[in-house]
Amino acid sequence: MKKKEMIKGVGVCVIAILLCCFLSQARAQTSTAAVKEAAEDLVKRILPKHANRFRVEIISSADGKDVFELSSSGKKIILKGNNGVSVASALNYYLKNYAHCRITWNGTNLKLPATLPEVSKPIRKESPHQYRYYLNYCTFNYTMSWWDWDRWQWEIDYMALNGINTPLAITGQNSVWSRVYKSFGFTDKELESFFSGPAYFNWFYMGNLDGWGGPLPQSHMRRHEELQKKILARERSLGMRPILPAFTGHVPPAFSERFPDASLKKTRWSTFPEVAILAPEDPMFTEIGKRFIEEQTKTYGTDHLYTADTFNENTPPSNDSVFLSNISRKVYQSMATADPKAVWFMQGWLFHHGRKFWQPTQIKALLNAVPDDKMVVLDLWTENHPVWNRTEAYYGKPWIWNMLHNFGGNISMYGRMKEVANGPARTKKDPRAGRMSGIGLTPEAIEQNPLMYELMLENVWSDEPIDLEKWLNSYCHSRYGKQSRQAEEAWQILSRTVYEGGVLPGGPESIITGRPTLAKSTGGTRPAKNYDPKDLLPAWALLIDASKKLKSSEGFRYDLVDLTRQVLVNYADSLQHQFAGDYHRKDTAAFRRHTARFLQVMEDTDRLLGTRKDFLLGKWLSDARSWGTNDAEKDLFEKNARNLITLWGDQNSRLYEYSCRQWSGMLRGFYKPRWEQYFAYLEAQLKANKEPDQKAFEAGIKEWEWNWIHGKEVYRDQPSGDAVATSFELYKKYYPAISTLYHN
């Protein structure tokens, strides 16, 4: 009997094992099928008319590294990868290097030849980077404030095509926070003064401000929650691991009333009112952090990657090592209590921004309190101000090399091409680099300077430096769909001028977007350049000449408008120097002549920018209004949109013009009227033989700016006119005068 029972038991075990194996294999097949389907769907979205000419296959990773393979079989192009991102990268590699096509924010060329070029020799690429990070908190407002699902869907495909696998994902957090704080007894009324308006979410998330631009409608919270669910589902289907927020201590203004014994500290950022930060040592800190992760996971799921930034542009109250260690330990514990697999992604921006405070002792204290395998540090601005090389590569933590590039969404041709082409590969091989585990893009805004982002993303599948001259020629061919000697020469010139970089941070603004002044810079406007403006003229002439052959290319049309814009606003800066000198010499006739030219340049530049959807104020405003469910919400969102790109805060904000935009509508409707008022004021002072009172003028113009923010005038949200014809017209009009000015 015992023998029979034993045999029976063994049989049951064997059946159970076989069943487990079968189920495991079935799950693997289902998972592989889902990955394949997601990748095939991407191919269909990118190339709806040609998708049947490609075949997708899922392969294994290469010792944990992402890999793709590209080959031909008969009339089919075979795309192989270990996940959707790898397959998409194979597709993008084929489009750029075989079909001479390219997909960017500012112009896409997908004119495939009738017969697809064969991949004569199979291609295999392994990424040397575990993490390929994307986005900055600020990007979600300076660019993405008004994005709908269609725009997000395009961006996620763009991420996958370029190998991004760890994107920041902070959309839709307000509804989660609302439920968390309501679970502690807070009411909607108490939370009204907490949640910011939709153009200021990221500074709210980072604990810089409360309520500015609000109150936030409940409808917007609900719609953003649904949007985030779509974003995360699509990113995960392609094999990405989105990074979600965690708790850093920012609590509602009413927190001290509900919890009078809580340990709170007040911090102030810029000119905004103080916000309440719950001390990490307070027992409620871990409880709130735990409850947030649990609610967020319930709503959005998790990939166990979290972002949290303590002391964002705020100085800690103490530099004591024990104090700083306790803070980071508690922040991590608030994640790990809810998710033991939690990995903390921390921006290293504070170590640059607060460099005097964050000495080696303080940095070590903050980082070493968290296990090395539970934290990844983002070296946020590596192409300009690396921190890794003065922190012993962050004392054992994995870290990521990033290109920040853009601040505030300012429009300017700019980049550090040589460093971006060589820096990641050089650093990866540097024995001092420690655990460099990835590369990334951390711009405050996107949808400009596409060349720099395409160049940086070339590093995703290579650990070798990029040959810039060769790459630039290939970039021109794939961007424009045709080879052009003139275009290639123009870009070689641009690589030595606007894209040379230099010591100045970020791209230079133009004085036309600054609050009017006779000085060379003003407020958030820094027109100083890393190059001589006259050196752009040959590149301008070459692109104008290339337009005969390339005028049908969307990428070319954008580039021609952008370069024409840059030349014109540089000229405006020179004119400002002239009329400032005229004024100081009290030469009224010359002052009037140069100010008239200055205003005419602004008017012509506005018309030029109006030919491209990339440069329209009206689109930014109409997109903002589209999120409103009634007139009051539409007006609130438009006010948010106007405020962010002008004063930023209230009338006395120190951040005015930080997010200035050279856009059609902005020049004609905001910047030009300001300068006209200034010129009228200066002429009146000249006539009265009085010195100008800059402070008095600014006090008055602040009121005008504030009224514009509350305005309702409508700006065109669709392009008008021909980009090439308008550029050619302005070239003929301005080239002789600009050339004469620079050479004399």
Side-chain angles (χ1 to χ4, degrees):
M1 191 69 183
K2 288 183 179 179
K3 187 176 181 180
K4 287 183 179 180
E5 288 177 357
M6 186 181 297
I7 293 171
K8 183 178 179 182
V10 171
V12 170
C13 288
V14 170
I15 291 171
I17 291 170
L18 291 172
L19 183 60
C20 285
C21 290
F22 173 77
L23 291 174
S24 177
Q25 185 179 16
R27 279 194 296 268
Q29 289 174 344
T30 302
S31 176
T32 300
V35 171
K36 185 172 184 288
E37 182 180 6
E40 288 173 338
D41 287 345
L42 180 143
V43 176
K44 291 173 185 175
R45 288 192 296 274
I46 302 299
L47 300 170
K49 295 180 180 179
H50 305 279
N52 61 351
R53 301 161 81 178
F54 294 84
R55 190 170 81 225
V56 170
E57 295 181 14
I58 306 302
I59 58 177
S60 299
S61 62
D63 295 325
K65 294 180 179 179
D66 284 347
V67 59
F68 76 73
E69 295 178 359
L70 181 66
S71 60
S72 290
S73 178
K75 295 183 178 180
K76 295 265 189 180
I77 306 300
I78 313 303
L79 310 172
K80 298 181 182 181
N82 64 300
N83 54 38
V85 169
S86 297
V87 171
S89 297
L91 173 62
N92 202 28
Y93 188 93
Y94 178 81
L95 291 175
K96 290 187 295 186
N97 295 285
Y98 289 86
H100 303 298
C101 295
R102 191 170 289 264
I103 298 168
T104 76
W105 305 305
N106 312 106
T108 287
N109 163 36
L110 280 177
K111 295 179 180 177
L112 273 71
T115 301
L116 291 184
E118 181 185 357
V119 182
S120 57
K121 182 181 178 181
I123 299 293
R124 179 181 170 89
K125 296 283 184 180
E126 295 176 10
S127 177
H129 306 291
Q130 178 183 356
Y131 302 113
R132 284 94 67 186
Y133 179 85
Y134 188 47
L135 298 174
N136 181 313
Y137 274 81
C138 298
T139 330
F140 285 82
N141 281 136
Y142 285 135
T143 297
M144 299 169 162
S145 289
W146 319 115
W147 280 14
D148 58 13
W149 171 237
D150 285 345
R151 181 62 187 86
W152 263 110
Q153 180 170 240
W154 189 97
E155 193 70 22
I156 295 167
D157 286 347
Y158 177 79
M159 294 182 208
L161 289 165
N162 288 285
I164 299 298
N165 68 351
T166 41
L168 185 63
I170 61 173
T171 303
Q173 297 308 309
N174 293 310
S175 61
V176 178
W177 277 119
S178 180
R179 290 193 287 273
V180 168
Y181 282 119
K182 283 179 181 178
S183 75
F184 284 97
F186 289 87
T187 64
D188 284 332
K189 190 66 179 173
E190 287 174 314
L191 295 176
E192 272 189 5
S193 60
F194 185 47
F195 295 119
S196 72
Y200 296 90
F201 284 162
N202 106 75
W203 297 279
F204 164 73
Y205 295 148
M206 290 191 291
N208 298 133
L209 51 79
D210 284 335
W212 183 256
L216 182 67
Q218 294 289 326
S219 62
H220 196 280
M221 289 193 198
R222 290 192 296 271
R223 293 176 69 190
H224 256 221
E225 180 175 323
E226 292 307 311
L227 178 60
Q228 175 74 331
K229 289 176 180 177
K230 290 181 179 180
I231 292 169
L232 295 174
R234 178 59 56 78
E235 290 177 348
R236 287 167 177 155
S237 75
L238 293 167
M240 300 179 193
R241 296 182 66 198
I243 303 168
L244 299 175
F247 180 56
T248 56
H250 186 203
V251 294
F255 200 88
S256 60
E257 297 170 18
R258 285 200 168 268
F259 302 100
D261 296 330
S263 177
L264 297 172
K265 63 184 180 74
K266 298 286 187 177
T267 65
R268 183 185 295 278
W269 180 74
S270 189
T271 55
F272 287 89
E274 291 182 328
V275 300
I277 304 294
L278 183 64
E281 62 268 20
D282 191 292
M284 289 195 69
F285 189 98
T286 300
E287 178 57 29
I288 294 174
K290 173 177 176 289
R291 205 174 293 190
F292 174 73
I293 296 291
E294 289 173 343
E295 180 62 34
Q296 180 175 248
T297 302
K298 177 182 174 183
T299 306
Y300 298 134
T302 185
D303 293 270
H304 313 294
L305 308 182
Y306 302 99
T307 173
D309 292 293
T310 51
F311 311 120
N312 178 61
E313 299 189 358
N314 283 315
T315 303
S318 170
N319 67 356
D320 178 70
S321 296
V322 175
F323 169 79
L324 295 171
S325 291
N326 285 338
I327 284 178
S328 58
R329 185 178 296 109
K330 289 291 186 181
V331 171
Y332 178 70
Q333 284 177 357
S334 73
M335 304 177 201
T337 302
D339 182 359
K341 296 181 181 179
V343 176
W344 179 3
F345 276 66
M346 189 184 79
Q347 295 183 130
W349 177 252
L350 73 168
F351 304 135
H352 167 72
H353 186 269
R355 184 169 183 164
K356 289 183 179 179
F357 177 92
W358 292 102
Q359 297 300 308
T361 300
Q362 286 69 38
I363 298 175
K364 286 180 184 178
L366 193 73
L367 299 184
N368 290 347
V370 179
D372 285 350
D373 63 342
K374 296 296 185 180
M375 175 181 274
V376 179
V377 181
L378 299 169
D379 199 290
L380 216 67
W381 197 10
T382 326
E383 91 275 21
N384 230 355
H385 287 285
V387 176
W388 71 267
N389 56 6
R390 59 182 177 86
T391 55
E392 297 177 30
Y394 289 98
Y395 312 110
K397 295 288 187 293
W399 66 276
I400 296 175
W401 198 110
N402 290 290
M403 182 183 85
L404 198 163
H405 182 261
N406 182 273
F407 290 87
N410 300 326
I411 307 297
S412 177
M413 295 186 84
Y414 167 78
R416 302 197 69 192
M417 285 191 68
K418 288 181 181 177
E419 182 58 25
V420 169
N422 295 285
R426 182 184 66 242
T427 306
K428 186 76 173 171
K429 296 175 182 178
D430 192 322
R432 300 171 302 157
R435 297 175 65 189
M436 177 182 161
S437 300
I439 58 173
L441 295 169
T442 54
E444 288 195 351
I446 55 175
E447 298 181 336
Q448 35 68 37
N449 285 287
L451 166 122
M452 288 305 304
Y453 297 86
E454 293 291 294
L455 176 62
M456 180 62 193
L457 290 165
E458 282 292 318
N459 291 291
V460 167
W461 294 98
S462 173
D463 60 359
E464 295 297 325
I466 298 166
D467 182 329
L468 268 181
E469 183 174 353
K470 182 180 178 182
W471 182 86
L472 269 173
N473 291 343
S474 174
Y475 174 80
C476 287
H477 190 180
S478 59
R479 180 160 172 77
Y480 303 149
K482 297 177 183 177
Q483 289 182 297
S484 165
R485 179 188 57 79
Q486 294 97 326
E488 290 174 0
E489 287 183 17
W491 277 105
Q492 296 298 337
I493 293 171
L494 293 175
S495 73
R496 299 190 297 268
T497 52
V498 290
Y499 292 111
E500 179 71 20
V503 296
L504 296 174
E509 298 87 21
S510 167
I511 200 68
I512 62 176
T513 65
R515 189 174 281 165
T517 181
L518 293 173
K520 290 185 177 181
S521 62
T522 171
T525 304
R526 178 188 51 77
K529 298 166 183 64
N530 296 305
Y531 59 93
D532 190 330
K534 72 175 171 29
D535 292 340
L536 295 192
L537 296 183
W540 192 24
L542 284 163
L543 277 197
I544 287 290
D545 194 26
S547 66
K548 302 181 186 71
K549 183 177 183 180
L550 304 178
K551 61 184 177 181
S552 64
S553 160
E554 279 300 303
F556 177 80
R557 295 166 79 85
Y558 171 86
D559 292 342
L560 180 60
V561 167
D562 198 29
L563 178 55
T564 303
R565 173 204 57 76
Q566 192 65 61
V567 172
L568 292 181
V569 300
N570 288 352
Y571 178 48
D573 292 344
S574 299
L575 288 171
Q576 189 249 6
H577 299 164
Q578 288 188 313
F579 68 65
D582 299 335
Y583 187 86
H584 292 311
R585 290 189 301 271
K586 301 188 185 303
D587 186 340
T588 304
F591 177 78
R592 287 175 176 169
R593 185 169 63 254
H594 289 130
T595 55
R597 287 181 189 171
F598 182 82
L599 294 173
Q600 186 62 53
V601 170
M602 294 180 74
E603 193 171 305
D604 285 337
T605 305
D606 188 280
R607 181 163 56 89
L608 168 74
L609 297 176
T611 65
R612 292 291 309 176
K613 65 178 177 58
D614 317 77
F615 300 109
L616 297 180
L617 168 64
K619 187 175 188 313
W620 173 256
L621 299 183
S622 63
D623 285 352
R625 294 188 68 85
S626 72
W627 276 92
T629 60
N630 54 51
D631 288 344
E633 290 181 4
K634 291 177 185 293
D635 291 346
L636 175 67
F637 298 163
E638 180 174 354
K639 179 184 172 185
N640 267 243
R642 287 171 175 250
N643 194 1
L644 183 68
I645 61 176
T646 52
L647 284 173
W648 211 104
D650 63 16
Q651 285 182 240
N652 297 309
S653 169
R654 291 199 299 262
L655 296 173
Y656 67 93
E657 252 75 77
Y658 180 84
S659 185
C660 61
R661 308 292 172 100
Q662 292 175 35
W663 281 347
S664 179
M666 282 300 294
L667 273 72
R668 175 173 51 85
F670 185 78
Y671 301 130
K672 185 168 176 271
R674 283 199 312 189
W675 281 102
E676 287 173 331
Q677 293 175 69
Y678 188 58
F679 295 152
Y681 169 73
L682 291 179
E683 286 219 31
Q685 295 301 98
L686 270 177
K687 189 174 183 180
N689 199 28
K690 293 181 180 179
E691 289 299 312
D693 186 337
Q694 187 69 20
K695 288 185 178 179
F697 172 79
E698 290 194 9
I701 207 66
K702 286 178 187 178
E703 287 191 34
W704 180 87
E705 292 165 347
W706 191 243
N707 288 334
W708 186 88
I709 287 168
H710 289 80
K712 300 285 195 318
E713 63 275 9
V714 177
Y715 295 91
R716 192 173 61 243
D717 63 0
Q718 295 295 323
S720 174
D722 183 85
V724 173
T726 305
S727 297
F728 189 74
E729 172 203 331
L730 296 178
Y731 174 81
K732 289 198 298 182
K733 179 177 180 178
Y734 284 105
Y735 188 93
I738 295 174
S739 181
T740 300
L741 172 67
Y742 289 158
H743 286 90
N744 290 340

